[in-house]
Amino acid sequence: MNDFFTLSACEDEDATGIAHLQLNRPERMNTMAPAFFPALRDAVRELDAAGRTRVLLISSTGKHFSAGMALETFASQSALLDTRSARARLAFQTTLRQLMDCFSALDEARFPVLCAVQGGCIGGALDLAAACDMRFATADAFFSVQEIQIGMTADLGVLQRLQQLMPAGLAREMAYTGERLGAERALSAGLVNAVLPDQAALLEHAMTIARQIAGKSPLAIAGSKLAMNHARDHGVAASLQQMTLLQSAIFDVEEMGRAIMAWKLKKPGEFAPLNAAEKSA
Ligand SMILES: C/C=C/C(=O)SCCNC(=O)CCNC(=O)[C@H](O)C(C)(C)COP(=O)(O)OP(=O)(O)OC[C@H]1O[C@@H](n2cnc3c(N)ncnc32)[C@H](O)[C@@H]1OP(=O)(O)O
C-alpha cells in the first residue's frame, strides 16, 4: 500500500495478466514526492519477479496525468542539495542514480508498459512516460519538459529518452523552451501512438492494446522487448549478434504450437506464466 497509486490485476476472461497501476492523488495533481519513486520501482520489480504480468498499464485520475515532482520536495531536500560539501555532492549523485533507476525499472521489466495520459504530463511525469514502451493520450493532453522553467536540467531520463522517441530537433525544442507539446503534435511526432477524445475512450483503447499483447506468448513478448531495447541501446550490428544468443535461449517450439493454435482460433493464447517450471498454461 502507498499514498500515490493503486495496483490491480485485470482478471476478466479476456484480460489475464494485465496489471493496472493508477496514480490516484488527483487532489495533489498526482505530484511525485520522494516516497513515490521507490514505491513505483518496487511495485514494477515485484510484478516482474512474480512472472504473471504480461503487460502493465499505467494511467491516472483527475484533470492531469501528473504535475511532476512536488515542488515542496526541492525545499525539503535542501540539506541533501548542499553543494558546499564534496560528501554531499557525492551523496546527491547516489540519490539521483537511485531515482533514475526507479523509472528505468519500467524499461527493464520483461513485460511491455503502456502509459495512458490525460491533461498535463509535466516534468518528472514525462520522465516516467518516456520510460514506458508506448504512450496514448486524450485530446487535451500535453507534455512538457517543465524542469527548464524552474531552472534545472531535467535529470530522470527524459533528455536521454525523448530524442529516441521523436524527432531530435523537436525534443530539443521542448528541452530548451519548456513549452507544452499538445496531443495532436505529440501524435504526429510519434511520441504517442494514438489520441482519443476523452479518458474513457483512452482507457478502452489502451486496454484493447493491452489485451492483444496479453494474448501473445509471454516468452516471445519478453524476447521482443529485450531485442528492441538492446538494438536501441547498442545499434543494429551488435544487436543482430545478441539476437543469435537470445533466440538460442528462448526459442520454444511448444510455445509456438500454442500460439499458432490461438492465432488460428482467433483467441488469446493459453500460455504458462514466465516463471512457471512447466510449459502448459
Ligand atoms: C525531477 C523532476 C522535476 C519536475 O518534475 S519539475 C516540474 C515540477 N512541476 C511543475 O512545475 C508544475 C507546474 N504546474 C503547472 O504547470 C500547473 O499547475 C498544472 C498544469 C499542473 C495545473 O494547472 P491548472 O489545472 O491550471 O491548476 P493550477 O491552478 O495551476 O494548480 C492547482 C494547484 O496545484 C499546485 N501545483 C501544481 N503543480 C504542482 C507541483 N508540481 N507541486 C506542488 N504543487 C503544484 C498549484 O500550485 C496550485 O495550488 P493552489 O491551488 O494552492 O494555488
Side-chain angles (χ1 to χ4, degrees):
M1 280 295 289
N2 67 78
D3 294 336
F4 303 99
F5 56 80
T6 56
L7 184 58
S8 55
C10 305
E11 287 297 355
D12 64 84
E13 200 176 314
D14 297 327
T16 306
I18 301 177
H20 187 182
L21 189 154
Q22 193 162 45
L23 307 183
N24 67 350
R25 286 208 311 172
E27 71 287 355
R28 303 288 309 275
M29 302 265 160
N30 293 307
T31 48
M32 299 164 172
F36 167 78
F37 294 90
L40 177 77
R41 177 200 61 206
D42 293 350
V44 172
R45 286 190 180 162
E46 280 166 25
L47 290 176
D48 201 22
R52 287 185 297 278
T53 297
R54 296 182 182 181
V55 53
L56 171 63
L57 170 62
I58 298 182
S59 75
S60 178
T61 49
K63 184 176 168 189
H64 299 290
F65 178 76
S66 167
M69 191 73 98
L71 289 172
E72 61 271 18
T73 304
F74 293 110
S76 67
Q77 302 287 302
S78 56
L80 184 65
L81 305 183
D82 175 6
T83 49
R84 286 169 300 180
S85 142
R87 283 175 173 74
R89 290 197 295 272
L90 194 62
F92 179 58
Q93 198 180 353
T94 304
T95 302
L96 191 51
R97 184 72 231 185
Q98 287 168 344
L99 289 176
M100 288 171 178
D101 290 348
C102 295
F103 288 156
S104 292
L106 299 165
D107 188 42
E108 290 159 4
R110 291 176 294 179
F111 45 76
V113 184
L114 281 48
C115 186
V117 173
Q118 87 285 6
C121 180
I122 299 165
L126 186 51
D127 292 81
L128 183 160
C132 297
D133 288 82
M134 58 191 98
R135 289 144 294 279
F136 305 94
T138 52
D140 73 350
F142 62 90
F143 302 82
S144 73
V145 183
Q146 176 74 11
E147 287 89 336
I148 201 70
Q149 307 284 32
I150 63 165
M152 64 177 282
T153 302
D155 57 5
L156 298 184
V158 70
L159 299 182
Q160 291 68 30
R161 294 188 169 109
L162 210 52
Q163 294 193 94
Q164 296 175 322
L165 301 173
M166 61 195 294
L170 191 50
R172 284 170 187 249
E173 189 179 320
M174 290 178 73
Y176 301 153
T177 69
E179 289 298 318
R180 298 173 175 184
L181 187 81
E184 284 303 330
R185 206 145 174 238
L187 179 64
S188 62
L191 179 61
V192 302
N193 288 11
V195 174
L196 289 305
D198 54 39
Q199 203 175 6
L202 172 71
L203 285 180
E204 196 180 316
H205 182 80
M207 278 299 287
T208 300
I209 305 291
R211 283 195 179 93
Q212 282 182 280
I213 296 169
K216 303 286 186 288
S217 153
L219 206 52
I221 292 288
S224 299
K225 181 163 177 173
L226 275 170
M228 294 181 91
N229 282 1
H230 195 279
R232 177 197 62 198
D233 298 338
H234 302 282
V236 173
S239 297
L240 288 175
Q241 179 56 30
Q242 185 256 4
M243 191 70 215
T244 63
L245 301 175
L246 175 62
Q247 191 69 314
S248 315
I250 64 171
F251 191 78
D252 185 325
V253 174
E254 284 181 37
E255 186 97 344
M256 288 177 66
R258 290 175 178 279
I260 292 166
M261 179 75 74
W263 180 63
K264 280 187 175 166
L265 295 173
K266 298 188 184 348
K267 286 171 56 179
E270 293 185 7
F271 302 102
L274 274 189
N275 290 1
E278 75 283 6
K279 288 182 178 176
S280 59

